[in-house]
Amino acid sequence: MEEVNQTTVTEFILNGLTDNPELQLPLFLIFLGVYLVTVVGNLGMIILILFSSQLHTPMYYLLSSLSFIDCCQSTVITPKMLVNFVTEKNVISYPECIAQFYFFGAFAVAECHMLGVMAYDRYVAISKPLLYNVTMSYQVCLWMIAGVYGMGFISTTVLAFFMIRLVFCKANIIRHYFCDFFPLLELSCSSTFVNEVIVLFLSSFNILIPVVTILSSYIFILVSILNIQSSGGRRKAFSTCSSHILAVAIFFGSLAFMYLQPSSVNSLDQSKLSSVFYTIIVPMLNPMIYSLKNKDVKISLRKLIQKLSFHSTKNDFH
């Protein structure tokens, strides 16, 4: 604990996305729009699932949880980034920075595991339809969601514990638009070896487990679909997975683009650009993917709008 007291940096300055003053206002308006669409889209999905009885199934409980994660993840990052576009120096205090790092990490890890759980749900629905209600009961679904959040918060608690033990004594300019792990390590004037080993272990675990779950689930799903005799049945089975496949491809594709490049190729600007896609664009896209490619969601939305318009017409009449 002695090392913690040696920290002389009480606040950091976030570098932001760009230094070009001409881009500040257009970028502010673009990302404000993206953030509003993200919040409205994800909260809209949660409300739709909550008020539509036909969507009260494990698949949609998991989807509403994914929407909650996306909404929280975007809220942890975007508002502070928007401040950077309208102020000369975007200052963030040491406790705020650690809190941002903590909650971003927790929701990012939770999203990895949630996509894994959703793949398992689709596997049970297609490969073992007769056992679906037992295997994916309300209690099992609740435990799975609790496990997803547990993985996120336990992993990031470990990382944050070792982060606050680092000494920050001179440099305080974070070369990023939020308090991410590696930009913070760059500023430490104490050894970061333990932190790097721990993040390597936790990242491998939290990416490998969901990826293996997703791949094995879809291998079994593919085998089951090929065994379906009718082309209509095969099409219906595939359509229930297509939204999830697209969400997984975008999420893990953006992760791979950000992390699986040689350091010589992966410049700071490129790293920021891929981070924007992963932290801000993906949370906006998920509700669109699930609403535009899902017949049940579209039908439920139409019914809810009709119900609301009927009630408003009835009230106007009275």
Side-chain angles (χ1 to χ4, degrees), residues 69-87:
I69 290 167
D70 282 334
C71 195
C72 291
Q73 185 170 300
S74 187
T75 301
V76 167
I77 302 293
T78 315
K80 191 65 185 169
M81 188 181 80
L82 291 172
V83 171
N84 199 75
F85 296 126
V86 291
T87 55

Side-chain angles (χ1 to χ4, degrees), residues 21-316:
E22 291 175 14
L23 291 174
Q24 303 288 357
L25 184 60
L27 286 174
F28 173 81
L29 295 172
I30 289 166
F31 285 108
L32 178 62
V34 167
Y35 180 62
L36 291 174
V37 170
T38 302
V39 171
V40 170
N42 284 294
L43 288 181
M45 185 66 81
I46 293 166
I47 291 163
L48 180 64
I49 290 166
L50 192 67
F51 287 102
S52 302
S53 55
Q54 62 267 41
L55 299 182
H56 290 179
T57 64
M59 176 184 171
Y60 293 106
Y61 290 142
L62 297 175
L63 177 54
S64 65
S65 194
L66 179 71
S67 291
F68 177 75
I69 290 167
D70 282 334
C71 195
C72 291
Q73 185 170 300
S74 187
T75 301
V76 167
I77 302 293
T78 315
K80 191 65 185 169
M81 188 181 80
L82 291 172
V83 171
N84 199 75
F85 296 126
V86 291
T87 55
E88 200 173 316
K89 274 203 300 188
N90 188 8
V91 177
I92 186 167
S93 70
Y94 178 80
E96 272 185 300
C97 189
I98 296 298
Q100 189 186 53
F101 161 73
Y102 178 79
F103 286 106
F104 164 71
F107 289 118
V109 171
E111 178 140 357
C112 286
H113 289 285
M114 184 57 72
L115 289 169
V117 167
M118 289 171 83
Y120 176 75
D121 170 72
R122 293 299 80 213
Y123 153 69
V124 177
I126 292 167
S127 300
K128 299 180 178 179
L130 298 176
L131 297 172
Y132 183 73
N133 291 332
V134 178
T135 310
M136 292 298 294
S137 66
Y138 178 74
Q139 288 84 355
V140 170
C141 199
L142 212 60
W143 277 109
M144 282 181 166
I145 292 168
V148 162
Y149 288 112
M151 289 284 194
F153 283 100
I154 290 167
S155 297
T156 318
T157 299
V158 173
L159 284 178
F161 174 76
F162 284 96
M163 183 64 79
I164 60 172
R165 293 174 68 86
L166 293 178
V167 180
F168 297 95
C169 51
K170 291 171 190 167
N172 72 333
I173 298 173
I174 297 171
R175 299 193 305 153
H176 215 349
Y177 59 89
F178 73 101
C179 294
D180 202 0
F181 184 80
F182 290 108
L184 271 174
L185 287 197
E186 278 181 13
L187 303 182
S188 174
C189 42
S190 58
S191 172
T192 60
F193 176 74
V194 175
N195 300 68
E196 287 173 36
V197 170
I198 289 167
V199 80
L200 182 65
F201 171 75
L202 289 173
S203 299
S204 302
F205 176 80
N206 289 313
I207 290 172
L208 196 64
I209 297 295
V211 165
V212 168
T213 305
I214 290 163
L215 288 176
S216 54
S217 294
Y218 277 108
I219 288 166
F220 286 118
I221 285 168
L222 190 62
V223 170
S224 300
I225 288 173
L226 292 174
N227 287 331
I228 295 171
Q229 298 301 316
S230 67
S231 58
R234 278 199 294 269
R235 205 177 300 114
K236 189 183 176 184
F238 183 75
S239 70
T240 65
C241 302
S242 59
S243 302
H244 183 257
I245 291 168
L246 191 56
V248 166
I250 291 169
F251 181 76
F252 284 103
S254 61
L255 270 182
F257 184 76
M258 184 162 59
Y259 292 115
L260 302 182
Q261 289 189 69
S263 54
S264 57
V265 175
N266 197 1
S267 68
L268 182 67
D269 289 338
Q270 200 172 7
S271 176
K272 282 182 185 179
L273 200 65
S274 49
S275 293
V276 164
F277 195 80
Y278 160 65
T279 58
I280 296 163
I281 305 299
V282 168
M284 179 188 72
L285 291 177
N286 277 345
M288 292 182 184
I289 291 166
Y290 282 99
S291 58
L292 295 173
K293 290 185 69 62
N294 192 301
K295 197 164 74 174
D296 291 338
V297 170
K298 285 191 276 190
I299 291 167
S300 299
L301 183 61
R302 207 175 297 123
K303 281 183 180 176
L304 191 63
I305 291 167
Q306 284 170 355
K307 198 186 289 183
L308 290 170
S309 60
F310 173 76
H311 282 301
S312 63
T313 309
K314 200 175 175 183
N315 290 335
D316 290 341

